[in-house]
Amino acid sequence: QVQLVESGGGLVQAGASLRLSCAASGRTFSGYAMAWFRQAPGKEREFVAAIMWNSGRTAYADSVKGRFTISRDNAKNTLYLQMTSPNADDTAVYYCAASSRRFTVTMRVSNVDYWGQGTQVTVSS
């Protein structure tokens, strides 16, 4: 049974840093694309960043490019999202995701095979 378990969310001041983690288990993710999505109240779930598990190739939404960094630790089967200089617009529930399909510059919600349960990130100004 595949499990994606996020952690690291919470309340953070604008301009501070926060790192989200996603522990993946239940299958080998070799060849998979891993990603972070987020969903703010009243809005649709949106793509944040993605990384190919094997090659490490990445892609970012324009809104987070240069501020957020996605990475993975293959030995620990863990995905990370380093958030620097967050602002109030980054407040959302953040979801870890896994897809068996390759991505180009973004990943579609419909292409995700597995979701985590989400972790709340609240940025205070």
Side-chain angles (χ1 to χ4, degrees):
Q1 181 180 356
V2 173
Q3 281 195 314
L4 303 175
V5 180
E6 301 97 335
S7 60
L11 178 64
V12 61
Q13 284 193 328
S17 293
L18 190 68
R19 189 177 78 163
L20 305 182
S21 300
C22 170
S25 62
R27 66 160 296 132
T28 176
F29 290 93
S30 175
Y32 267 64
M34 306 297 291
W36 291 96
F37 286 76
R38 66 186 182 186
Q39 188 165 18
K43 295 187 177 182
E44 293 185 351
R45 192 168 298 190
E46 65 175 6
F47 169 78
V48 174
I51 186 168
M52 289 302 299
W53 194 262
N54 288 357
S55 69
R57 180 175 64 85
T58 60
Y60 295 91
D62 288 342
S63 59
V64 306
K65 201 171 292 184
R67 299 188 300 122
F68 292 7
T69 302
I70 189 171
S71 63
R72 85 276 187 242
D73 185 327
N74 291 15
K76 295 182 178 180
N77 252 26
T78 302
L79 179 72
Y80 302 101
L81 184 69
Q82 181 70 46
M83 304 169 62
T84 57
S85 301
N87 55 58
D89 291 338
D90 297 317
T91 294
V93 176
Y94 282 72
Y95 296 92
C96 177
S99 171
S100 56
R101 301 185 186 186
R102 294 180 178 271
F103 62 89
T104 53
V105 296
T106 187
M107 181 185 291
R108 297 180 179 180
V109 170
S110 58
N111 285 350
V112 173
D113 297 306
Y114 305 105
W115 291 101
Q117 83 286 352
T119 185
Q120 175 72 46
V121 173
T122 303
V123 183
S124 65
S125 56

